[in-house]
Amino acid sequence: MIDHKLQKARTSKQEEEMDKVKKILKEDGLLESDAMFAHALIICTNTLHRRNFLTMETKEGRLNFLQICWEDRRSRSKQML
Protein backbone atom coordinates (compact mmCIF):
# COMPACT_ATOMS: atom_id res chain seq x y z
CA MET A 1 0.00 0.00 0.00
CA ILE A 2 1.30 3.43 -0.94
CA ASP A 3 2.08 5.70 1.97
CA HIS A 4 -0.62 8.37 2.29
CA LYS A 5 1.99 11.15 2.54
CA LEU A 6 3.63 9.97 -0.68
CA GLN A 7 0.25 9.78 -2.44
CA LYS A 8 -0.66 13.26 -1.19
CA ALA A 9 2.70 14.67 -2.35
CA ARG A 10 2.25 13.08 -5.78
CA THR A 11 -1.27 14.50 -6.10
CA SER A 12 -0.05 17.91 -4.98
CA LYS A 13 2.74 17.87 -7.61
CA GLN A 14 0.26 16.89 -10.34
CA GLU A 15 -2.08 19.72 -9.31
CA GLU A 16 0.83 22.15 -9.27
CA GLU A 17 1.92 21.06 -12.76
CA MET A 18 -1.64 21.35 -14.10
CA ASP A 19 -1.83 24.88 -12.66
CA LYS A 20 1.36 25.68 -14.59
CA VAL A 21 -0.18 24.22 -17.77
CA LYS A 22 -3.23 26.49 -17.39
CA LYS A 23 -1.02 29.52 -16.70
CA ILE A 24 1.09 28.85 -19.81
CA LEU A 25 -2.00 28.33 -21.98
CA LYS A 26 -3.38 31.69 -20.86
CA GLU A 27 0.01 33.37 -21.40
CA ASP A 28 0.00 31.88 -24.91
CA GLY A 29 -3.29 33.65 -25.56
CA LEU A 30 -5.73 30.76 -25.28
CA LEU A 31 -9.04 31.34 -23.54
CA GLU A 32 -10.74 28.77 -21.35
CA SER A 33 -13.53 28.78 -23.94
CA ASP A 34 -11.13 27.68 -26.72
CA ALA A 35 -11.30 24.03 -27.78
CA MET A 36 -7.49 23.79 -27.70
CA PHE A 37 -7.51 24.86 -24.03
CA ALA A 38 -9.80 21.92 -23.21
CA HIS A 39 -7.75 19.58 -25.42
CA ALA A 40 -4.61 20.60 -23.55
CA LEU A 41 -6.16 19.82 -20.18
CA ILE A 42 -7.17 16.37 -21.40
CA ILE A 43 -3.78 15.68 -23.00
CA CYS A 44 -1.85 16.92 -19.96
CA THR A 45 -3.55 14.50 -17.58
CA ASN A 46 -0.89 12.12 -18.95
CA THR A 47 2.29 12.69 -16.92
CA LEU A 48 4.72 12.38 -19.86
CA HIS A 49 2.64 14.65 -22.10
CA ARG A 50 2.36 17.21 -19.29
CA ARG A 51 6.10 17.20 -18.62
CA ASN A 52 6.87 17.51 -22.34
CA PHE A 53 4.45 20.43 -22.61
CA LEU A 54 5.95 22.17 -19.57
CA THR A 55 9.52 21.91 -20.88
CA MET A 56 8.76 23.36 -24.31
CA GLU A 57 10.13 26.84 -24.82
CA THR A 58 7.93 28.31 -27.55
CA LYS A 59 4.23 28.91 -27.97
CA GLU A 60 4.40 27.46 -31.48
CA GLY A 61 6.08 24.31 -30.22
CA ARG A 62 3.50 23.85 -27.47
CA LEU A 63 0.54 24.39 -29.79
CA ASN A 64 2.01 22.04 -32.40
CA PHE A 65 2.60 19.40 -29.72
CA LEU A 66 -0.99 19.70 -28.48
CA GLN A 67 -2.41 19.52 -32.01
CA ILE A 68 -0.39 16.40 -32.86
CA CYS A 69 -1.30 14.72 -29.56
CA TRP A 70 -4.98 15.51 -30.08
CA GLU A 71 -4.98 14.18 -33.66
CA ASP A 72 -3.17 11.03 -32.49
CA ARG A 73 -5.72 10.56 -29.71
CA ARG A 74 -8.61 10.97 -32.15
CA SER A 75 -7.14 8.58 -34.72
CA ARG A 76 -6.55 5.94 -32.02
CA SER A 77 -10.13 6.23 -30.76
CA LYS A 78 -11.45 5.87 -34.34
CA GLN A 79 -9.38 2.71 -34.83
CA MET A 80 -11.00 1.18 -31.76
CA LEU A 81 -14.48 1.56 -33.24
Side-chain angles (χ1 to χ4, degrees), residues 7-65:
Q7 181 68 33
K8 192 171 186 175
R10 187 176 294 149
T11 300
S12 178
K13 181 171 177 56
Q14 290 170 343
E15 290 171 351
E16 193 177 300
E17 288 176 344
M18 286 303 291
D19 288 343
K20 287 180 185 177
V21 168
K22 291 176 198 172
K23 183 177 185 278
I24 290 169
L25 292 169
K26 289 177 182 177
E27 289 172 355
D28 284 350
L30 276 76
L31 303 173
E32 289 181 359
S33 58
D34 294 337
M36 186 55 73
F37 193 97
H39 295 171
L41 296 182
I42 293 166
I43 290 165
C44 289
T45 58
N46 175 292
T47 303
L48 292 176
H49 290 332
R50 182 173 60 250
R51 296 211 175 126
N52 283 326
F53 176 86
L54 289 171
T55 59
M56 292 187 161
E57 297 181 14
T58 65
K59 172 184 174 178
E60 295 78 15
R62 287 187 290 273
L63 293 177
N64 186 52
F65 173 74

